[in-house]
Amino acid sequence: ARGVLCFPTRRNWQQLTWLAMLFTYGIFGLHYASHFTPADFAVQQTFLVLFFILYSTSVFIHNIRLKLPATPLEILGLLGNSALFFCLSSVATLKTYHNDRLTLAPLTIGLAFYYLCHAVWLKKRNTKEDRNLLLMFCALSGFYLSLTFPVILTEQWLGAAWALQGLMMLWLGYKLESRFLRCCAWLLYILSLGRLALWEFVAYNQLLLDDKQFWNHVISRCVQFIIPVVCLALAAKIIAKNSTEESKPTVMEENGQFLLFPRMDLQSGIFMSLAFIVGFIFMRLELANDLLHIMPSMWLLSVNIVWISAACLALWLLKRNIPGFWWSLFLLLSAGIFARIVFYFSQPEFWGCFRQ
């Protein structure tokens, strides 16, 4: 441990620190898989916390000592250490306390406080070279604080966590002017949307409406879906804010090669449109399931109101010149409303009420 902490003060060999970190967490993971029992939780968690603090400090201590700005290597080292510690701690905690999600709250709040203390300390140093680390610690603190509520309320918080982390990476990517971090943010958003499409939305077909836990499940699903919607909208706002600052074409554009990213205005429109689509699908499924359980007579009316409201919102956003594919979405929603009207009026039950 002394060598891992002291060596980076002399040499900035991040690869060696990464190897030591991976081997340490790997050995811990193997030991957990084969020998862990709930009785050993206190001892193992103590050592895991010490390992986390050790590698968290060794990643950036060289930059602090020599007053060097942090590079993506240090940023990724902090992210990797934080992710490995949180995953291993979560698994051990849930196994010890019988999958009680509330026991994860001290872990997320503790991590938020830990990174906030680092941010306050760097703020007091007030050196230009610490700016990148300061932004990183603020982002990690905000991420774990935001993660606390999804962890407590629902088991299906992974999509929301990926969306929050994608927002953090995108914000850092623009603050640190790193295209690599922005590419990671796109990947995290794709993973979050993929989980929503392939897992979360499909799960509505298997909902068990229990009267005792009905409203708890409603609140959990609201957190589960609203967080990705908000993260997508904030990502669009961040991109739109920085669009004027990156007006020059990239090297790939100048050489006529394939672009890694679309234009900035197109990126903002994609994120805003995705936020709109996810929000619409969530409202459609949630209202349909809730009212079918509470007020079955209002089910059809509520679904139609969601469709009409979404079409009106798309038209309003189009008139406000908000980036997005609002005209296409408005036409699709209008076609859906027309198809619903035709289908409804073609039902024999509708004309039967007039014959009576």
Side-chain angles (χ1 to χ4, degrees):
R2 184 183 301 176
V4 171
L5 187 59
C6 294
F7 186 79
T9 60
R10 302 284 181 179
R11 303 285 183 181
N12 189 23
W13 288 357
Q14 289 293 331
Q15 295 85 346
L16 188 61
T17 304
W18 285 20
L19 282 175
M21 178 173 63
L22 290 175
F23 275 114
T24 301
Y25 284 121
I27 292 172
F28 182 90
L30 292 174
H31 181 269
Y32 169 84
S34 55
H35 301 292
F36 178 79
T37 59
D40 301 329
F41 174 75
V43 176
Q44 292 203 5
Q45 189 66 16
T46 300
F47 278 97
L48 190 59
V49 169
L50 293 175
F51 288 144
F52 166 73
I53 296 174
L54 173 68
Y55 289 109
S56 176
T57 306
S58 63
V59 167
F60 65 87
I61 191 172
H62 183 79
N63 303 76
I64 295 296
R65 179 175 176 271
L66 298 181
K67 295 183 178 180
L68 298 174
T71 65
L73 287 177
E74 285 79 22
I75 301 300
L76 291 175
L78 287 170
L79 286 173
N81 179 55
S82 176
L84 289 171
F85 169 74
F86 180 72
C87 291
L88 291 173
S89 295
S90 300
V91 172
T93 302
L94 291 175
K95 185 174 181 178
T96 302
Y97 293 99
H98 310 290
N99 294 322
D100 185 3
R101 298 189 303 274
L102 189 61
T103 57
L104 294 179
L107 177 62
T108 56
I109 294 174
L111 285 169
F113 180 75
Y114 173 80
Y115 287 118
L116 180 61
C117 291
H118 281 69
V120 172
W121 173 61
L122 289 178
K123 185 66 176 178
K124 289 183 177 180
R125 280 169 55 95
N126 196 23
T127 59
K128 182 180 179 181
E129 291 77 15
D130 295 337
R131 174 177 172 270
N132 294 351
L133 284 174
L134 175 62
L135 292 173
M136 185 63 197
F137 288 137
C138 289
L140 284 171
S141 178
F143 169 71
Y144 281 110
L145 186 62
S146 302
L147 192 62
T148 302
F149 298 102
V151 165
I152 294 173
L153 292 174
T154 179
E155 295 178 352
Q156 309 297 337
W157 53 271
L158 188 57
W162 280 338
L164 284 169
Q165 196 167 8
L167 180 64
M168 180 192 71
M169 296 284 280
L170 186 69
W171 179 71
L172 282 174
Y174 282 108
K175 289 294 183 181
L176 305 181
E177 299 180 355
S178 171
R179 288 184 173 272
F180 177 75
L181 292 179
R182 276 176 272 172
C183 185
C184 292
W186 274 79
L187 179 60
L188 286 168
Y189 273 114
I190 291 172
L191 289 174
S192 177
L193 291 172
R195 180 173 177 83
L196 288 176
L198 300 176
W199 182 270
E200 313 295 357
F201 287 140
V202 176
Y204 269 96
N205 297 325
Q206 301 153 356
L207 286 181
L208 298 177
L209 299 176
D210 183 7
D211 291 330
K212 296 180 179 179
Q213 299 292 328
F214 176 77
W215 290 111
N216 289 337
H217 293 323
V218 171
I219 295 173
S220 297
R221 290 194 297 272
C222 287
V223 174
Q224 174 184 342
F225 289 104
I226 289 176
I227 285 181
V229 172
V230 173
C231 289
L232 287 166
L234 289 176
K237 185 176 180 180
I238 291 172
I239 294 173
K241 182 180 178 181
N242 291 273
S243 60
T244 56
E245 300 175 6
E246 292 198 1
S247 57
K248 296 190 299 183
T250 61
V251 176
M252 300 178 73
E253 275 184 295
E254 292 171 351
N255 294 338
Q257 299 178 8
F258 177 74
L259 282 174
L260 179 61
F261 295 106
R263 297 192 316 272
M264 298 292 290
D265 56 342
L266 183 58
Q267 291 182 44
S268 180
I270 290 173
F271 276 101
M272 190 63 76
S273 300
L274 287 173
F276 179 88
I277 293 170
V278 173
F280 166 71
I281 295 175
F282 164 68
M283 291 297 296
R284 163 64 179 83
L285 294 175
E286 189 63 34
L287 278 178
N289 283 275
D290 295 345
L291 291 177
L292 192 62
H293 179 67
I294 302 174
M295 302 171 62
S297 60
M298 296 293 294
W299 176 83
L300 183 61
L301 177 62
S302 65
V303 172
N304 291 332
I305 289 175
V306 170
W307 278 84
I308 296 171
S309 300
C312 293
L313 179 60
L315 188 60
W316 180 77
L317 292 171
L318 176 65
K319 295 297 183 182
R320 291 290 302 272
N321 293 323
I322 304 297
F325 306 96
W326 307 123
W327 182 245
S328 300
L329 289 172
F330 174 74
L331 292 178
L332 287 173
L333 290 168
S334 300
I337 294 170
F338 179 76
R340 290 180 62 83
I341 293 173
V342 171
F343 177 77
Y344 179 70
F345 280 103
S346 64
Q347 297 299 310
E349 294 82 0
F350 176 77
W351 298 106
C353 66
F354 289 101
R355 297 191 187 99
Q356 295 176 0

